[in-house]
Amino acid sequence: MSITNHTNEDPWYVHVALYVVIAILTVILIKVAIIDPKNIMEREAYYKKEARLRMTNLKQAEILWQKKHGSFTSNLDELINFIKNDKFVDSIVNSVDPLTNKSSNPFVKLSHGEFTPDSLYRTPKSQQIFILKIDSSEVVDSVFTPQKKFLRTERRIVKGTRYYIEDPDGYGTVGSLDNDALKNTASWE
């Protein structure tokens, strides 16, 4: 009977290579499981905050448009040009409340620290245009003579008594086309 002393030792460089592979896989796992999701969540939080700030400014622009024109608008180009160029808006933005001595500017600063009207065209995440709609309804009026005799029925279309702003990325809405109680209400408030 012969006893063979057989040791199965791998060369040292195989062990070093395995330790290097384990270290690399650990780094990749930490990046994929911890760092990347954190960055994604931070970006999502930024997109959500920025989109809501922009929709708040669009709401304020619609309110100013209605004060000047008597109805809301669904034309985003007209609304943003109104903010940028109208003297009525400029007078409100640059005015000071006499009681509190604070600015009467209805627009909020965006995440980068200032209000820029051109940023209101598109959502921060996908760069899609914000969805802006107004209602239209038919109003029927009856016309009577001074002697209370019925003359005729008048029908007219009324547009822009309510508005609706939606972020196509799903970060919220402002207003309602169906409910006056939600006219200037944001979905996140």
Side-chain angles (χ1 to χ4, degrees):
M1 242 198 246
S2 110
I3 298 178
T4 327
N5 192 0
H6 184 15
T7 59
N8 190 7
E9 284 192 26
D10 294 324
W12 66 271
Y13 54 86
V14 171
H15 292 283
V16 170
L18 288 173
Y19 285 127
V20 169
V21 168
I22 289 171
I24 290 172
L25 290 175
T26 303
V27 169
I28 290 172
L29 180 64
I30 288 171
K31 182 180 180 328
V32 170
I34 297 171
I35 296 171
D36 287 349
K38 183 181 175 189
N39 290 341
I40 291 169
M41 301 244 328
E42 287 172 354
R43 263 196 322 250
E44 277 299 311
Y46 165 78
Y47 292 144
K48 183 178 184 180
K49 179 183 177 188
E50 184 70 14
R52 289 179 174 182
L53 289 172
R54 291 179 187 189
M55 286 190 289
T56 299
N57 286 332
L58 285 170
K59 172 180 86 169
Q60 294 302 330
E62 282 283 8
I63 292 169
L64 291 175
W65 180 279
Q66 187 209 23
K67 283 181 182 177
K68 181 166 184 186
H69 299 285
S71 64
F72 297 108
T73 182
S74 62
N75 187 323
L76 197 56
D77 289 327
E78 283 182 357
L79 188 63
I80 292 173
N81 283 332
F82 173 69
I83 296 168
K84 289 167 45 176
N85 302 319
D86 195 272
K87 292 182 193 288
F88 173 72
V89 174
D90 192 47
S91 69
I92 291 174
V93 167
N94 294 320
S95 67
V96 175
D97 184 358
L99 294 176
T100 62
N101 219 16
K102 292 184 179 179
S103 173
S104 297
N105 186 354
F107 301 109
V108 295
K109 294 179 180 176
L110 302 176
S111 296
H112 64 279
E114 62 182 52
F115 169 66
T116 47
D118 288 328
S119 70
L120 302 181
Y121 280 108
R122 300 189 179 276
T123 65
K125 183 176 182 179
S126 65
Q127 294 299 307
Q128 293 183 48
I129 295 175
F130 282 102
I131 299 166
L132 184 60
K133 299 177 183 178
I134 59 171
D135 70 326
S136 62
S137 57
E138 183 178 35
V139 177
V140 180
D141 288 329
S142 298
V143 180
F144 293 91
T145 66
Q147 294 78 24
K148 311 270 187 214
K149 289 187 177 183
F150 176 76
L151 277 179
R152 67 183 176 276
T153 303
E154 291 183 354
R155 295 175 186 262
R156 60 188 169 97
I157 303 294
V158 177
K159 292 184 178 182
T161 59
R162 296 183 209 110
Y163 68 95
Y164 177 76
I165 303 167
E166 181 181 349
D167 181 352
D169 296 328
Y171 294 122
T173 62
V174 176
S176 171
L177 297 178
D178 306 320
N179 189 341
D180 278 335
L182 300 174
K183 186 183 283 186
N184 292 319
T185 305
S187 62
W188 60 90
E189 293 176 338

